[in-house]
Amino acid sequence: MQDLLCPLCQLVNEDHDHIFFQCDYAAEIWRSILQWQEIRRNAMNWTEGVQWGMQYMKGKSSKALMYRMAMSNVVYHIWLERNARIFKQQQKPASYLIRLII
Ligand SMILES: [Zn+2]
């Protein structure tokens, strides 16, 4: 069914793991944002991403704060982009979101 497809790639069904982490669109954003923060980490799913953050990015160091801010910003902007595509038929490239988040 058309309306179950991921609005970002139109290739697979939409679920949280896919849309926020595994989708090529989201993965490109994560790669750039993590690289920008000099964090070496493989792509992961929702649960792993949150657990990784709680384990390695807790506390009040500036790196930890930046990571948590970036994480919520990536999720927030991917969600806005998803809604813009569904409800306004507007599309922005991943590179635009990356610049916006940084
Ligand atoms: Zn997708």
Side-chain angles (χ1 to χ4, degrees), residues 3-98:
D3 59 351
L4 288 177
L5 278 180
C6 168
L8 302 175
C9 66
Q10 309 280 351
L11 292 174
V12 275
N13 284 344
E14 176 185 28
D15 63 39
H16 281 155
D17 253 354
H18 174 80
I19 202 167
F20 290 118
F21 287 93
Q22 282 157 3
C23 183
D24 283 347
Y25 188 92
E28 185 182 340
I29 296 175
W30 280 113
R31 253 196 316 276
S32 300
I33 297 298
L34 291 174
Q35 201 175 32
W36 172 64
Q37 294 187 79
E38 298 175 335
I39 293 174
R40 283 169 166 271
R41 196 186 79 182
N42 292 327
M44 44 180 67
N45 64 29
W46 176 269
T47 312
E48 286 170 344
V50 171
Q51 279 172 351
W52 188 92
M54 290 195 314
Q55 187 172 356
Y56 294 105
M57 292 295 155
K58 56 189 177 193
K60 291 182 178 165
S61 72
S62 58
K63 188 165 184 170
L65 289 173
M66 284 291 285
Y67 175 82
R68 292 202 300 267
M69 261 182 353
M71 173 117 190
S72 54
N73 268 291
V74 170
V75 169
Y76 176 68
H77 284 287
I78 289 174
W79 186 247
L80 289 186
E81 177 63 18
R82 171 205 178 268
N83 290 340
R85 290 182 184 216
I86 293 175
F87 301 116
K88 299 186 205 159
Q89 284 77 49
Q90 290 173 352
Q91 292 195 14
K92 295 186 203 83
S95 56
Y96 177 89
L97 265 72
I98 292 165

